């Protein structure tokens, strides 16, 4: 197969961290397999809340995991706005990818 192949890996609505190790492996494997172009990982919203851990640390753990995967692009869902504004701005500053819009 010749030509550019852009592979998108999209996830949404993550409320627990249980499956992130498997997701990290998937992103790595699919990136390695795609020799004809980029593989882009996208979270399409609801990653900072309403998970139990985010209710305790205001999304800090989730943002750390998203950076570790890595998630390249994040799109805000309605639950990102469950956080107090100062905590949301802190999480935005911590994110190593790009936040491109909202799905509200």
């Amino acid at each position: 197969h010749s030509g550019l192949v852009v592979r998108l890996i999209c996830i949404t609505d993550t409320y627990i961290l249980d499956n992130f190790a498997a997701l990290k492996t998937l992103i790595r494997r699919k990136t390695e397999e795609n020799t004809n172009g980029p593989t882009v990982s996208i979270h399409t919203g609801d990653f900072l809340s309403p998970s139990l851990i985010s209710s305790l640390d205001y999304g800090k753990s989730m943002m750390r995991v998203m950076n570790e995967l890595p998630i390249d692009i994040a799109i805000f869902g309605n639950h990102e706005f469950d956080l107090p504004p100062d905590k949301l701005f802190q999480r935005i500053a911590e994110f190593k990818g790009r936040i491109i819009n909202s799905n509200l």
Side-chain angles (χ1 to χ4, degrees), residues 74-100:
I75 298 168
F76 278 1
N78 62 306
H79 286 298
E80 272 61 67
F81 300 101
D82 294 347
L83 271 62
D86 63 320
K87 299 297 183 185
L88 178 59
F89 293 138
Q90 287 174 4
R91 300 297 83 83
I92 292 169
E94 294 166 357
F95 185 51
K96 295 178 183 176
R98 300 239 186 243
I99 298 171
I100 60 169

Side-chain angles (χ1 to χ4, degrees), residues 14 22 27 30 39 44 49 59 66 72 81 87 91 96 100:
T14 51
I27 291 171
K30 295 303 177 182
T39 297
T44 60
S49 184
M66 286 180 57
D72 300 309
F81 300 101
K87 299 297 183 185
R91 300 297 83 83
K96 295 178 183 176
I100 60 169

Side-chain angles (χ1 to χ4, degrees), residues 13-17 20 46-63 79-80 82-83:
D13 295 274
T14 51
Y15 305 125
I16 57 174
L17 300 175
F20 276 89
D46 293 347
F47 50 89
L48 293 177
S49 184
S51 71
L52 177 60
I53 191 138
S54 289
S55 70
L56 301 172
D57 72 358
Y58 299 101
K60 190 170 186 77
S61 296
M62 191 65 75
M63 192 56 68
H79 286 298
E80 272 61 67
D82 294 347
L83 271 62

Side-chain angles (χ1 to χ4, degrees), residues 1-7 33-38:
H1 182 263
S2 63
L4 178 67
V5 175
V6 178
R7 177 172 284 152
E33 289 173 9
N34 189 13
T35 58
N36 292 329

